[in-house]
Amino acid sequence: MTYPIRPIGESEWSAATAVLEEAFGWSPTPSQKERYKAETEFDRTLAAFDGDAVVGLAGAYSLTMTVPGGRQLPVAGVTAVSVLPSHRRSGILSSLMRRQLADVRERGESVAALYASEASIYGRFGYGRAAVQQAFRISTHDAAFVPGAPQDPSLRMRVAKPQERRADYERLFASVVTRRPGLYARRKETWDNVLADSEADQRGAGPLRSIVVEDDEGVRGYALFRIKPSWDDDGMAGGELLLVELFAADPAAYALLWRGVLDRDLVTRVDAGTRPLDDPLIALLANPRQLRARWHDELWVRVVEVEKALVARSYAAPVDLVVEVEDEVCPWNAGRWRLTADPAGAECKPVEEEPDVSLPVAALGSAYLGDGLLTAQLDAGLLREHTPGAVRELAAAMAWSPKPWAGLTF
């Protein structure tokens, strides 16, 4: 059976969100639903129809994402991919994903990215795991910093009401967004969601709180968090601080913000649900075992146009290889490409030469933001190396520091 696919109109919004609610078990309040609607790009929200009924959905945001080297690239932020339980295993998901990738290419975007609700789904559409995030659970009783942790006597810490300092947060974030691959520019609607503080947004964790660190020139960092107070039967405090996000312009501001989080009165545990793999806090803590870190996948990346995507990013080391890309979903990528790059620039052209390495496009996507584990994929038998050392050369060139991390689900 064929299910026609087309973008939805605003009048079809309720029918489209009904699919999301059913597929994800999502029960938004009216205000949450309105915020989500304000973020939606209707011309990029594809729906599959069974007669007049919406039975599948795949949306995208027009993001501006940082890639290795600090350039901000137009990226399709794939979201809201869902199919009604009654219509699973009928080809709807595949049709939506293929149509979406064709639309992404037509718009001139060379890269798509997403957060995967299930990690096993998107590899077959050419997405590779491109970033990892960590979650920290820190006991505040043993959270001292190493000797020599940065300090700046000009910095002041202030308690702040989140809505009153929104402009400062926006300026600070805009000043650091190009420093890490995966971070993306935030629109007004994005900030509306970050700072949302209704009872439903609190989820029993109390109101959104904030501290800022600043000097005479302005704000140099901020942290957003919630606190769940608790006392045991003996009257001993056991509060939990839930970190929403923390960004700083420099190491001294970063260290002072974390001290403000870790030294909070009546708090015995800090939960930081999403932090980058190479978070500087790992180096700052005198007892890093207190992080109780656990990791899981974050961004998945799909290279939609090989030539444009590979030229758009920077490279950490010289590379000159012929890479054979296997891509059944986007056949325009399939073939052999000579990548010639160094820290000064890159060139990527189709060639007929024998390849140095053959790889699926998902492997290229996993490496795109700088953390692709290409040598591990070679050892796992997922890549084919025709020239000894070619994968190591490609991996060294595409690796990047700092590690990729988006920090905020889209």
Side-chain angles (χ1 to χ4, degrees):
M1 184 173 180
T2 300
Y3 299 93
I5 294 173
R6 62 168 173 79
I8 65 169
E10 187 169 355
S11 64
E12 296 168 308
W13 165 249
S14 293
T17 54
V19 176
L20 283 177
E21 293 175 31
E22 190 66 36
F24 287 99
W26 183 42
S27 301
T29 64
S31 63
Q32 288 175 323
K33 202 167 182 178
E34 282 304 308
R35 289 203 310 270
Y36 183 52
K37 183 178 181 180
E39 283 192 293
T40 298
E41 298 178 39
F42 290 100
D43 63 327
R44 304 203 69 170
T45 303
L46 297 172
F49 289 83
D50 185 352
D52 294 331
V54 179
V55 295
L57 207 63
Y61 296 124
S62 302
L63 300 183
T64 304
M65 183 175 285
T66 301
V67 297
R71 180 180 176 186
Q72 290 190 288
L73 190 69
V75 168
V78 176
T79 188
V81 179
S82 51
V83 177
L84 282 180
S86 57
H87 286 70
R88 293 176 66 241
R89 307 193 189 286
S90 57
I92 292 175
L93 177 62
S94 294
S95 296
L96 283 167
M97 299 304 291
R98 289 172 180 271
R99 165 66 185 272
Q100 185 181 64
L101 287 169
D103 288 357
V104 169
R105 183 192 189 205
E106 188 174 334
R107 286 174 175 267
E109 296 161 333
S110 58
V111 173
L114 57 79
Y115 279 83
S117 57
E118 295 182 76
S120 60
I121 294 177
Y122 294 98
R124 68 180 187 269
F125 302 114
Y127 286 84
R129 191 195 76 195
V132 169
Q133 65 182 0
Q134 295 193 87
F136 297 151
R137 178 165 289 181
I138 310 166
S139 170
T140 61
H141 293 312
D142 188 13
F145 283 173
V146 295
Q151 298 181 1
D152 184 342
S154 72
L155 280 174
R156 305 178 296 270
M157 186 189 305
R158 296 286 185 264
V159 174
K161 292 186 180 299
Q163 290 293 347
E164 294 178 2
R165 302 302 293 267
R166 172 170 173 160
D168 291 319
Y169 306 150
E170 292 185 16
R171 281 193 294 270
L172 189 283
F173 183 84
S175 75
V176 302
V177 69
T178 59
R179 297 184 184 181
R180 184 181 290 275
L183 290 177
Y184 58 92
R186 295 181 178 179
R187 297 177 291 186
K188 171 189 176 298
E189 294 81 8
T190 311
W191 280 105
D192 289 343
N193 274 327
V194 170
L195 299 176
D197 203 26
S198 69
E199 184 176 349
D201 297 308
Q202 295 174 11
R203 298 180 183 179
L208 189 65
R209 304 176 187 274
S210 176
I211 52 176
V212 298
V213 293
E214 58 190 4
D215 59 15
D216 292 341
E217 302 299 318
V219 171
R220 284 166 52 184
Y222 71 89
L224 296 169
F225 53 90
R226 303 182 190 276
I227 294 177
K228 295 176 69 173
S230 177
W231 282 265
D232 65 18
D233 293 341
D234 299 315
M236 299 294 291
E240 181 181 6
L241 186 148
L242 307 176
L243 185 69
V244 175
E245 65 178 31
L246 184 154
F247 287 99
D250 56 86
Y254 177 87
L256 184 56
L257 279 173
W258 269 109
R259 287 271 46 103
V261 168
L262 294 169
D263 295 342
R264 186 85 180 197
D265 287 341
L266 307 181
V267 167
T268 60
R269 191 175 82 187
V270 171
D271 278 359
T274 172
R275 301 300 302 167
L277 190 62
D278 56 354
D279 195 312
L281 183 63
I282 300 168
L284 279 175
L285 281 179
N287 183 3
R289 294 179 184 177
Q290 285 292 355
L291 286 171
R292 302 290 201 277
R294 59 196 187 280
W295 71 270
H296 57 87
D297 58 283
E298 199 213 23
L299 282 180
W300 291 66
V301 165
R302 212 298 178 185
V303 174
V304 180
E305 288 268 18
V306 167
E307 182 175 350
K308 289 175 61 177
L310 293 185
V311 170
R313 53 154 292 171
S314 296
Y315 293 82
V319 61
D320 186 4
L321 296 170
V322 175
V323 179
E324 184 176 45
V325 177
E326 300 157 357
D327 193 343
E328 295 181 358
V329 177
C330 299
W332 55 85
N333 283 330
R336 298 171 182 178
W337 304 84
R338 176 170 287 280
L339 174 63
T340 306
D342 59 33
E347 184 178 74
C348 181
K349 297 294 183 185
V351 294
E352 299 296 330
E353 304 167 43
E354 290 300 308
D356 297 298
V357 58
S358 299
L359 48 73
V361 73
L364 203 58
S366 75
Y368 187 73
L369 293 179
D371 190 30
L373 302 177
L374 289 176
T375 54
Q377 293 182 63
L378 175 66
D379 292 342
L382 303 177
L383 317 181
R384 299 193 307 279
E385 185 177 67
H386 309 292
T387 302
V391 170
R392 184 178 298 277
E393 181 182 342
L394 182 62
M398 297 191 75
W400 201 259
S401 182
K403 296 291 188 182
W405 176 67
L408 184 63
T409 305
F410 49 81

